[in-house]
Amino acid sequence: AKVDALKKRMRGLIGELEGLIEGDDPRWLAFGLNLPGTTSTPEAPEGLVLTAGTAGTVYADWADARRATSYRMFEVVVGVDADFVPAATVNDSDATLTGLTTGTTVRVQVTAVNETGESQPSAVTEAVVP
């Protein structure tokens, strides 16, 4: 019930802001909102961290990218893949890679996506699969 009340208040705030400031006004960002008038792709994700999970599993986490509505993860299994291949598409700034071979090294990068397009990829991070 509290989450629903918060969503209702946030929708009210957004509605009020739409009547007060332009869609490309940077004050939208001060409220933690995306610019409604933006036609820009998201910023590249930063702070990608990989953490070993259970056997064959690696957890990935990164900072939210401004203007992103989803994220695409790409992986390279060293010695297996010649280039990055799609690994997952997620709505949050974290994901779990599963089905990896224990003892291999995996390299991961992430891009942020919105209705305008896709960002540049994050820095590459690697981990040894447990």
Side-chain angles (χ1 to χ4, degrees), residues 21-107:
I21 60 178
E22 296 295 321
D24 60 353
D25 189 311
R27 290 179 288 178
W28 284 97
L29 303 175
F31 285 95
L33 301 168
N34 293 328
L35 297 170
T38 189
T39 57
S40 301
T41 57
E43 295 174 3
E46 294 182 348
L48 175 60
V49 176
L50 301 179
T51 306
T54 57
T57 303
V58 172
Y59 302 109
D61 190 29
W62 58 92
D64 291 339
R66 189 165 289 197
R67 297 184 301 277
T69 56
S70 63
Y71 300 91
R72 294 182 65 208
M73 291 185 60
F74 300 88
E75 70 181 19
V76 169
V77 177
V78 176
V80 176
D81 300 315
D83 201 2
F84 283 95
V85 296
T89 299
V90 296
N91 293 324
D92 295 317
S93 58
D94 58 59
T96 303
L97 299 172
T98 60
L100 301 168
T101 303
T102 298
T104 59
T105 299
V106 63
R107 292 183 181 138

